[in-house]
Amino acid sequence: MTDLATLYKIDYSAWAERHVQLLRAGRYSELDVEHLVEELSDMGKSEQRELENRLTVLLAHLLKWEYQYRTLSERWREFKGDSWRATLIEQRNRLDKLLKQAPGLKARLPSTIGEAYTDAVGLASDESGLPSSTFPDRCPYSAEQLFDKTFYPAQPEGQAEAGHAEP
């Protein structure tokens, strides 16, 4: 085991800093390639997991907005509408930031939306008490709708204001 491989196991931060120094100096033959490849691969997986997790939460809240909201009592509707709207805003903002920081994820959006949708149906069902069969088999929202800060599905007539949709 090389000194860098040992350092990787005992002091990750020092290992990473040493690699920065080696890369800047162009001393590629000294790199701990095995662990470096592992770390770079994990970084991509981590970003992919974050994308999928944030899409799952966004989709689940859109589904609850569309399918559960109208069944709530008037008083509960006031609370849930604000709470769900805040979650939708937060997830959209975080997704926007993630895609700006890792633009390569945009190419994975269609497949990730499909994967996240399955989990979102389960989450929306668990949180709303509605059976999974309540929700469409496939994601009913386009990528454009998911990222549109003014999009709220199935808005009742006359309740949407410019830039601020009411359920």
Side-chain angles (χ1 to χ4, degrees):
M1 187 176 284
T2 67
D3 289 339
L4 279 175
T6 302
L7 189 59
Y8 177 80
K9 295 187 182 306
I10 60 172
D11 188 348
Y12 177 81
S13 294
W15 174 88
E17 181 56 37
R18 182 67 183 134
H19 275 81
V20 168
Q21 294 167 357
L22 291 170
L23 287 166
R24 284 193 175 131
R27 294 168 47 192
Y28 308 119
S29 64
E30 297 176 46
L31 296 173
D32 176 8
V33 175
E34 179 184 345
H35 289 122
L36 192 56
V37 168
E38 182 180 320
E39 289 302 315
L40 290 172
S41 176
D42 284 348
M43 282 174 52
K45 289 177 191 174
S46 175
E47 289 173 338
Q48 177 66 29
R49 279 190 300 272
E50 182 179 357
L51 177 65
E52 187 172 343
N53 290 338
R54 293 202 177 278
L55 283 169
T56 297
V57 173
L58 175 64
L59 286 164
H61 277 74
L62 287 170
L63 289 170
K64 290 190 309 181
W65 185 284
E66 185 167 0
Y67 292 91
Q68 182 190 18
Y69 186 82
R70 62 189 136 209
T71 68
L72 299 173
S73 72
E74 190 63 37
R75 181 142 169 69
W76 190 242
R77 211 177 292 166
E78 288 175 22
F79 170 75
K80 281 294 188 186
D82 288 343
S83 172
W84 291 345
R85 182 179 293 108
T87 299
L88 291 169
I89 291 167
E90 174 71 12
Q91 294 307 312
R92 285 174 168 153
N93 287 340
R94 296 291 179 160
L95 281 162
D96 185 53
K97 185 175 182 177
L98 175 63
L99 292 173
K100 284 179 180 167
Q101 291 173 343
L105 291 174
K106 289 178 186 173
R108 298 181 189 167
L109 261 179
S111 63
T112 306
I113 290 170
E115 292 165 14
Y117 184 72
T118 302
D119 293 336
V121 167
L123 181 60
S125 177
D126 290 346
E127 290 183 357
S128 70
L130 297 170
S132 295
S133 60
T134 302
F135 308 106
D137 292 333
R138 300 180 74 148
C139 183
Y141 316 115
S142 68
E144 291 77 23
Q145 289 172 321
L146 294 178
F147 291 92
D148 179 351
K149 293 181 180 195
T150 64
F151 173 74
Y152 294 86
Q155 297 175 22
E157 294 278 329
Q159 297 227 349
E161 300 172 16
H164 183 74
E166 292 293 335

